[in-house]
Amino acid sequence: MTLNDFRTLKDMIEAKNVIFCYNGYLSQEIIVAVSSMIKGKLSSDETKMGISQKVLYMFVEQAQNITRYSPDQIQNPDQASMSYGSVAIGTEDDKFYIMCSNRIEKTKVAALKEKLDLISSMSPDELKALYKEKMRSEAEEGSKGASVGFIEMARKSSEPIEFDFLEDDETYDYFTLKVVI
Amino acid sequence: MTTISATVTTPKIVLDTHNNLFSFEGESYPEDVNAFFDPIMNPLKTHLKNLQDADIQFDFFLTYFNSASTKVFFNLFALLEEITEFNRVTVNWKHHEEDDTAEEFGQEFKEDLDNVRFNFIAI
C-alpha cells in the first residue's frame, strides 16, 4: 500500500461519516475497549442516552457474533481467542448505522438466511412474540449466545435489517449485516 | 452474604440469602454468559425455590447488557413469578432517567409478571 492508497482508504471511510471501523482479529478485550470509546464519543456528541445505548448494543451483538462464529479464528493457549471480521459504525441521514461482515461456512448459510429472511419480514408485534418465545426456550444447538441477538437487533433497528451472502470460495461465503438506529 | 465484584463486562452481584435481598448492578456482556452466570444462578434458584412465606427483594441497576444476559434475567424473573405462590417478591428496576433502552427492557420483563411487585426507579 502506498501513502496515497492509505489516504484514499481513509478518505473513503471519512466520506461515509464513519465513527469507527475495524477490519482484523477481534477479541473480547477489543470489544470492551471499543465500547468504552463509543460511550465517550457519543457522550461528547451529546447523543441521547437511549440512542447511544442502542448503538452500543448493536455493536456488542455484532462483534460478539464475530468472536463466536467467525470461522477464521486464532486460538492461542495463553491468550483469549481472536476471530477475524469487520465492523463499522457511522451516521447517514442523521441516523446511526452499525455493520459487520465475516466469513461463514457454506453449510451454515441456508439456516442463517432462513432465520434472517423471517426476522426481516416480521412486523414489530410478530418480532416481539418470537422474541418472547426464544426467551422461554432452550438455546439452539450450536448457539453460544441465546439465539435472540438477531431478533433484538431487528426490534431495535428503525429500518428493516439488511444482509447478504456473497461467494468467497468453495467452502465459505461472506456474510454482511447492516442495522440502522 | 456473597458479594461478587463487578468487572468491565460483568455486574456487581450481592446475594444476601439471610435477608433475601439480592442485587445486580453494572454492565453484563461477558463472552460466555453461561460460564459466568450458571455458578451464580443455579444455587440462587435452588435457594429461592425452597423459600416459604418470605419477603424477597431484587434490585437491578443494569446500565448495559447483551442478549444472552437478557435471557438469564428473563429466566430468573420466570422463577420469581413462580415462587410468589408462597412468598412476596419485589423487583426494583433502576435505570438512568434518560436511558429509555434499559427502561424498555424492564417493561418487557414486567409484562410477564402478574404477582411480582415490579417498581421502576429512575435515577
Side-chain angles (χ1 to χ4, degrees):
Chain A
M1 184 166 350
T2 65
L3 297 181
N4 263 333
D5 287 342
F6 190 65
R7 267 190 293 273
T8 305
L9 186 62
K10 182 188 82 75
D11 288 346
M12 189 188 284
I13 290 167
E14 288 181 353
K16 297 293 178 188
N17 291 318
V18 171
I19 294 166
F20 165 81
C21 81
Y22 187 93
N23 190 71
Y25 284 91
L26 273 168
S27 65
Q28 178 73 0
E29 285 78 3
I30 292 168
I31 294 171
V32 169
V34 174
S35 297
S36 166
M37 182 279 290
I38 294 169
K39 279 183 234 169
K41 166 69 178 151
L42 298 186
S43 167
S44 81
D45 292 346
E46 297 183 355
T47 305
K48 280 187 186 151
M49 197 173 186
I51 301 286
S52 60
Q53 288 286 73
K54 285 194 175 77
V55 172
L56 186 65
Y57 185 88
M58 301 286 200
F59 165 73
V60 172
E61 289 298 316
Q62 293 189 5
Q64 287 190 328
N65 273 348
I66 291 171
T67 60
R68 286 174 185 145
Y69 303 117
S70 166
D72 303 307
Q73 301 201 351
I74 298 176
Q75 305 277 357
N76 289 325
D78 51 347
Q79 268 184 308
S81 65
M82 306 184 293
S83 307
Y84 194 88
S86 315
V87 196
I89 303 168
T91 56
E92 58 193 1
D93 307 327
D94 294 326
K95 289 182 173 180
F96 286 94
Y97 62 85
I98 302 96
M99 312 184 66
C100 62
S101 187
N102 58 268
R103 295 208 302 170
I104 175 173
E105 293 87 345
K106 275 189 173 6
T107 51
K108 295 181 180 168
V109 168
L112 180 58
K113 186 175 183 304
E114 189 185 346
K115 186 193 267 184
L116 292 174
D117 277 335
L118 178 71
I119 289 170
S120 61
S121 71
M122 283 181 149
S123 69
D125 284 347
E126 288 170 326
L127 279 170
K128 184 173 179 177
L130 180 65
Y131 172 78
K132 294 254 167 148
E133 184 193 316
K134 292 284 178 193
M135 279 287 169
R136 291 189 192 101
S137 62
E138 294 296 312
E140 282 164 35
E141 202 176 323
S143 170
K144 294 169 199 154
S147 308
V148 292
F150 286 119
I151 303 169
E152 282 201 29
M153 279 196 270
R155 295 187 68 201
K156 285 185 163 46
S157 184
S158 63
E159 291 171 19
I161 57 172
E162 276 182 65
F163 60 92
D164 63 15
F165 297 90
L166 286 182
E167 172 95 24
D168 182 41
D169 58 25
E170 67 275 11
T171 316
Y172 298 102
D173 281 357
Y174 258 101
F175 166 58
T176 306
L177 174 75
K178 178 183 182 182
V179 298
V180 173
I181 295 165
Chain B
M1 187 160 90
T2 310
T3 302
I4 298 157
S5 302
T7 71
V8 279
T9 61
T10 56
K12 178 185 175 186
I13 300 173
V14 180
L15 307 170
D16 178 354
T17 49
H18 183 68
N19 296 303
N20 290 312
L21 296 171
F22 307 96
S23 73
F24 295 76
E25 186 177 331
E27 307 202 340
S28 183
Y29 59 111
E31 188 168 27
D32 190 338
V33 167
N34 295 330
F36 174 74
F37 277 110
D38 282 353
I40 297 162
M41 288 298 180
N42 293 342
L44 172 62
K45 286 178 176 172
T46 305
H47 169 76
L48 293 170
K49 281 178 195 163
N50 288 325
L51 290 174
Q52 289 235 340
D53 197 29
D55 288 299
I56 303 161
Q57 182 179 317
F58 276 81
D59 288 347
F60 286 91
F61 188 15
L62 296 168
T63 45
Y64 175 76
F65 44 101
N66 66 359
S67 62
S69 300
T70 313
K71 185 157 183 166
V72 171
F73 298 125
F74 194 94
N75 289 335
L76 175 64
F77 287 132
L79 176 69
L80 294 185
E81 179 69 15
E82 227 174 87
I83 63 169
T84 56
E85 192 179 342
F86 307 109
N87 303 277
R88 292 164 298 280
V89 184
T90 302
V91 170
N92 294 316
W93 186 264
K94 301 174 186 176
H95 63 90
H96 285 293
E97 200 171 2
E98 294 158 27
D99 187 358
D100 44 20
T101 302
E103 190 182 354
E104 281 162 23
F105 270 115
Q107 303 278 11
E108 297 223 328
F109 287 132
K110 188 186 177 183
E111 280 173 11
D112 295 319
L113 306 174
D114 295 323
N115 299 307
V116 172
R117 183 209 290 238
F118 203 106
N119 304 314
F120 288 93
I121 300 169
I123 288 166

Short mmCIF file of all heavy atoms in Angstrom, two decimals, chain B residues 45-75:
data_model
loop_
_atom_site.label_atom_id
_atom_site.label_comp_id
_atom_site.label_asym_id
_atom_site.label_seq_id
_atom_site.Cartn_x
_atom_site.Cartn_y
_atom_site.Cartn_z
N LYS B 45 -31.21 -20.10 42.44
CA LYS B 45 -32.54 -20.63 42.12
C LYS B 45 -32.95 -21.71 43.11
O LYS B 45 -34.11 -21.78 43.53
CB LYS B 45 -32.55 -21.18 40.68
CG LYS B 45 -32.56 -20.07 39.64
CD LYS B 45 -32.53 -20.64 38.23
CE LYS B 45 -32.63 -19.51 37.21
NZ LYS B 45 -32.42 -20.00 35.84
N THR B 46 -32.00 -22.55 43.49
CA THR B 46 -32.30 -23.60 44.48
C THR B 46 -32.74 -22.96 45.80
O THR B 46 -33.73 -23.38 46.41
CB THR B 46 -31.04 -24.48 44.72
OG1 THR B 46 -30.61 -24.96 43.46
CG2 THR B 46 -31.33 -25.64 45.65
N HIS B 47 -32.02 -21.93 46.22
CA HIS B 47 -32.37 -21.21 47.45
C HIS B 47 -33.80 -20.64 47.34
O HIS B 47 -34.62 -20.81 48.26
CB HIS B 47 -31.37 -20.08 47.70
CG HIS B 47 -31.78 -19.13 48.79
ND1 HIS B 47 -31.71 -19.44 50.12
CD2 HIS B 47 -32.32 -17.88 48.72
CE1 HIS B 47 -32.17 -18.43 50.84
NE2 HIS B 47 -32.55 -17.47 50.02
N LEU B 48 -34.09 -19.99 46.24
CA LEU B 48 -35.39 -19.33 46.07
C LEU B 48 -36.54 -20.33 46.08
O LEU B 48 -37.60 -20.10 46.66
CB LEU B 48 -35.42 -18.52 44.77
CG LEU B 48 -34.49 -17.29 44.72
CD1 LEU B 48 -34.43 -16.72 43.31
CD2 LEU B 48 -34.95 -16.21 45.70
N LYS B 49 -36.30 -21.48 45.43
CA LYS B 49 -37.36 -22.50 45.33
C LYS B 49 -37.72 -23.06 46.71
O LYS B 49 -38.82 -23.56 46.90
CB LYS B 49 -36.91 -23.64 44.42
CG LYS B 49 -37.04 -23.32 42.94
CD LYS B 49 -36.52 -24.49 42.10
CE LYS B 49 -36.30 -24.07 40.66
NZ LYS B 49 -35.46 -25.01 39.93
N ASN B 50 -36.76 -22.99 47.65
CA ASN B 50 -37.00 -23.56 48.98
C ASN B 50 -37.63 -22.57 49.96
O ASN B 50 -37.88 -22.92 51.11
CB ASN B 50 -35.68 -24.09 49.56
CG ASN B 50 -35.24 -25.36 48.83
OD1 ASN B 50 -36.07 -26.17 48.42
ND2 ASN B 50 -33.94 -25.50 48.65
N LEU B 51 -37.85 -21.35 49.51
CA LEU B 51 -38.38 -20.33 50.43
C LEU B 51 -39.89 -20.45 50.60
O LEU B 51 -40.60 -20.83 49.67
CB LEU B 51 -38.04 -18.93 49.92
CG LEU B 51 -36.57 -18.53 49.97
CD1 LEU B 51 -36.37 -17.18 49.30
CD2 LEU B 51 -36.07 -18.48 51.42
N GLN B 52 -40.34 -20.12 51.81
CA GLN B 52 -41.79 -20.09 52.10
C GLN B 52 -42.08 -18.88 52.95
O GLN B 52 -41.34 -18.59 53.90
CB GLN B 52 -42.17 -21.35 52.88
CG GLN B 52 -42.12 -22.60 52.03
CD GLN B 52 -43.43 -23.36 52.05
OE1 GLN B 52 -44.23 -23.17 52.95
NE2 GLN B 52 -43.66 -24.19 51.06
N ASP B 53 -43.13 -18.18 52.63
CA ASP B 53 -43.57 -17.03 53.41
C ASP B 53 -42.44 -16.02 53.64
O ASP B 53 -42.29 -15.47 54.73
CB ASP B 53 -44.15 -17.51 54.75
CG ASP B 53 -44.99 -16.41 55.41
OD1 ASP B 53 -45.58 -15.59 54.67
OD2 ASP B 53 -45.03 -16.38 56.65
N ALA B 54 -41.67 -15.78 52.62
CA ALA B 54 -40.53 -14.87 52.75
C ALA B 54 -40.77 -13.57 51.97
O ALA B 54 -41.53 -13.56 50.99
CB ALA B 54 -39.26 -15.55 52.21
N ASP B 55 -40.15 -12.49 52.44
CA ASP B 55 -40.13 -11.24 51.70
C ASP B 55 -38.82 -11.19 50.92
O ASP B 55 -37.75 -11.21 51.51
CB ASP B 55 -40.21 -10.04 52.65
CG ASP B 55 -41.60 -9.92 53.25
OD1 ASP B 55 -42.56 -9.73 52.46
OD2 ASP B 55 -41.74 -10.05 54.48
N ILE B 56 -38.95 -11.16 49.62
CA ILE B 56 -37.77 -11.28 48.76
C ILE B 56 -37.66 -10.00 47.93
O ILE B 56 -38.65 -9.56 47.33
CB ILE B 56 -37.91 -12.50 47.82
CG1 ILE B 56 -38.12 -13.77 48.65
CG2 ILE B 56 -36.70 -12.63 46.89
CD1 ILE B 56 -38.73 -14.92 47.87
N GLN B 57 -36.46 -9.45 47.90
CA GLN B 57 -36.29 -8.23 47.11
C GLN B 57 -35.08 -8.33 46.19
O GLN B 57 -33.99 -8.71 46.61
CB GLN B 57 -36.12 -7.02 48.04
CG GLN B 57 -35.99 -5.71 47.27
CD GLN B 57 -35.84 -4.52 48.20
OE1 GLN B 57 -36.54 -4.40 49.21
NE2 GLN B 57 -34.91 -3.63 47.87
N PHE B 58 -35.32 -7.98 44.93
CA PHE B 58 -34.25 -7.93 43.93
C PHE B 58 -34.10 -6.50 43.44
O PHE B 58 -35.07 -5.89 43.00
CB PHE B 58 -34.58 -8.83 42.73
CG PHE B 58 -34.21 -10.26 42.92
CD1 PHE B 58 -35.05 -11.11 43.64
CD2 PHE B 58 -33.04 -10.76 42.39
CE1 PHE B 58 -34.70 -12.45 43.82
CE2 PHE B 58 -32.69 -12.10 42.57
CZ PHE B 58 -33.52 -12.95 43.28
N ASP B 59 -32.89 -5.98 43.50
CA ASP B 59 -32.60 -4.66 42.93
C ASP B 59 -31.73 -4.84 41.68
O ASP B 59 -30.68 -5.49 41.75
CB ASP B 59 -31.83 -3.78 43.93
CG ASP B 59 -32.73 -3.33 45.06
OD1 ASP B 59 -33.96 -3.47 44.95
OD2 ASP B 59 -32.19 -2.84 46.08
N PHE B 60 -32.20 -4.28 40.60
CA PHE B 60 -31.42 -4.33 39.35
C PHE B 60 -31.06 -2.91 38.93
O PHE B 60 -31.94 -2.05 38.86
CB PHE B 60 -32.22 -4.97 38.21
CG PHE B 60 -32.36 -6.45 38.34
CD1 PHE B 60 -33.45 -6.99 39.01
CD2 PHE B 60 -31.42 -7.30 37.79
CE1 PHE B 60 -33.59 -8.37 39.14
CE2 PHE B 60 -31.56 -8.68 37.91
CZ PHE B 60 -32.64 -9.21 38.58
N PHE B 61 -29.80 -2.68 38.68
CA PHE B 61 -29.40 -1.41 38.07
C PHE B 61 -28.36 -1.75 37.01
O PHE B 61 -27.16 -1.72 37.25
CB PHE B 61 -28.85 -0.45 39.12
CG PHE B 61 -28.61 0.95 38.59
CD1 PHE B 61 -29.16 1.37 37.39
CD2 PHE B 61 -27.84 1.86 39.31
CE1 PHE B 61 -28.95 2.65 36.90
CE2 PHE B 61 -27.62 3.14 38.83
CZ PHE B 61 -28.17 3.53 37.63
N LEU B 62 -28.88 -2.17 35.85
CA LEU B 62 -28.01 -2.65 34.77
C LEU B 62 -27.92 -1.58 33.70
O LEU B 62 -28.94 -1.22 33.11
CB LEU B 62 -28.56 -3.96 34.21
CG LEU B 62 -28.56 -5.12 35.22
CD1 LEU B 62 -29.38 -6.28 34.69
CD2 LEU B 62 -27.14 -5.56 35.53
N THR B 63 -26.73 -1.07 33.50
CA THR B 63 -26.59 0.02 32.54
C THR B 63 -26.42 -0.50 31.12
O THR B 63 -26.71 0.19 30.17
CB THR B 63 -25.40 0.91 32.91
OG1 THR B 63 -24.28 0.07 33.24
CG2 THR B 63 -25.74 1.76 34.12
N TYR B 64 -25.94 -1.73 31.00
CA TYR B 64 -25.84 -2.31 29.66
C TYR B 64 -25.80 -3.82 29.78
O TYR B 64 -25.11 -4.36 30.64
CB TYR B 64 -24.57 -1.82 28.92
CG TYR B 64 -24.47 -2.53 27.62
CD1 TYR B 64 -25.30 -2.16 26.58
CD2 TYR B 64 -23.68 -3.66 27.49
CE1 TYR B 64 -25.32 -2.91 25.42
CE2 TYR B 64 -23.69 -4.40 26.33
CZ TYR B 64 -24.51 -4.02 25.31
OH TYR B 64 -24.55 -4.74 24.17
N PHE B 65 -26.54 -4.53 28.93
CA PHE B 65 -26.42 -5.98 28.93
C PHE B 65 -26.70 -6.53 27.54
O PHE B 65 -27.49 -5.98 26.78
CB PHE B 65 -27.32 -6.65 29.98
CG PHE B 65 -28.71 -6.12 30.06
CD1 PHE B 65 -29.76 -6.80 29.46
CD2 PHE B 65 -28.97 -4.95 30.75
CE1 PHE B 65 -31.05 -6.30 29.55
CE2 PHE B 65 -30.26 -4.45 30.85
CZ PHE B 65 -31.30 -5.13 30.24
N ASN B 66 -26.06 -7.64 27.21
CA ASN B 66 -26.22 -8.23 25.88
C ASN B 66 -27.41 -9.20 25.85
O ASN B 66 -28.03 -9.47 26.88
CB ASN B 66 -24.92 -8.89 25.40
CG ASN B 66 -24.52 -10.10 26.22
OD1 ASN B 66 -25.18 -10.48 27.18
ND2 ASN B 66 -23.42 -10.73 25.85
N SER B 67 -27.71 -9.72 24.67
CA SER B 67 -28.93 -10.52 24.52
C SER B 67 -28.87 -11.81 25.34
O SER B 67 -29.89 -12.25 25.88
CB SER B 67 -29.19 -10.83 23.04
OG SER B 67 -28.15 -11.60 22.49
N ALA B 68 -27.69 -12.40 25.44
CA ALA B 68 -27.59 -13.65 26.20
C ALA B 68 -27.82 -13.39 27.69
O ALA B 68 -28.42 -14.21 28.39
CB ALA B 68 -26.21 -14.29 25.98
N SER B 69 -27.38 -12.22 28.18
CA SER B 69 -27.64 -11.87 29.58
C SER B 69 -29.14 -11.63 29.81
O SER B 69 -29.68 -11.99 30.85
CB SER B 69 -26.89 -10.59 29.97
OG SER B 69 -25.51 -10.75 29.81
N THR B 70 -29.80 -11.04 28.82
CA THR B 70 -31.23 -10.79 28.93
C THR B 70 -31.96 -12.09 29.22
O THR B 70 -32.88 -12.16 30.04
CB THR B 70 -31.79 -10.20 27.61
OG1 THR B 70 -30.94 -9.17 27.17
CG2 THR B 70 -33.20 -9.67 27.80
N LYS B 71 -31.53 -13.14 28.53
CA LYS B 71 -32.19 -14.44 28.70
C LYS B 71 -31.99 -14.97 30.13
O LYS B 71 -32.91 -15.57 30.70
CB LYS B 71 -31.65 -15.43 27.67
CG LYS B 71 -32.38 -16.75 27.71
CD LYS B 71 -32.28 -17.49 26.42
CE LYS B 71 -33.09 -18.76 26.51
NZ LYS B 71 -33.33 -19.38 25.24
N VAL B 72 -30.81 -14.76 30.68
CA VAL B 72 -30.54 -15.19 32.05
C VAL B 72 -31.51 -14.51 33.02
O VAL B 72 -32.11 -15.14 33.88
CB VAL B 72 -29.07 -14.86 32.45
CG1 VAL B 72 -28.84 -15.09 33.94
CG2 VAL B 72 -28.09 -15.68 31.62
N PHE B 73 -31.71 -13.20 32.83
CA PHE B 73 -32.60 -12.46 33.73
C PHE B 73 -34.06 -12.84 33.47
O PHE B 73 -34.87 -12.94 34.39
CB PHE B 73 -32.39 -10.95 33.58
CG PHE B 73 -30.99 -10.53 33.96
CD1 PHE B 73 -30.20 -9.82 33.08
CD2 PHE B 73 -30.47 -10.89 35.19
CE1 PHE B 73 -28.90 -9.46 33.43
CE2 PHE B 73 -29.18 -10.54 35.56
CZ PHE B 73 -28.39 -9.82 34.67
N PHE B 74 -34.40 -13.05 32.22
CA PHE B 74 -35.77 -13.46 31.86
C PHE B 74 -36.13 -14.76 32.60
O PHE B 74 -37.21 -14.89 33.17
CB PHE B 74 -35.83 -13.66 30.34
CG PHE B 74 -37.22 -13.75 29.78
CD1 PHE B 74 -37.86 -12.62 29.29
CD2 PHE B 74 -37.89 -14.96 29.73
CE1 PHE B 74 -39.14 -12.69 28.77
CE2 PHE B 74 -39.17 -15.04 29.21
CZ PHE B 74 -39.80 -13.91 28.72
N ASN B 75 -35.18 -15.71 32.58
CA ASN B 75 -35.41 -16.99 33.27
C ASN B 75 -35.53 -16.81 34.78
O ASN B 75 -36.35 -17.46 35.43
CB ASN B 75 -34.28 -17.98 32.97
CG ASN B 75 -34.34 -18.48 31.54
OD1 ASN B 75 -35.41 -18.48 30.94
ND2 ASN B 75 -33.22 -18.88 30.98
#
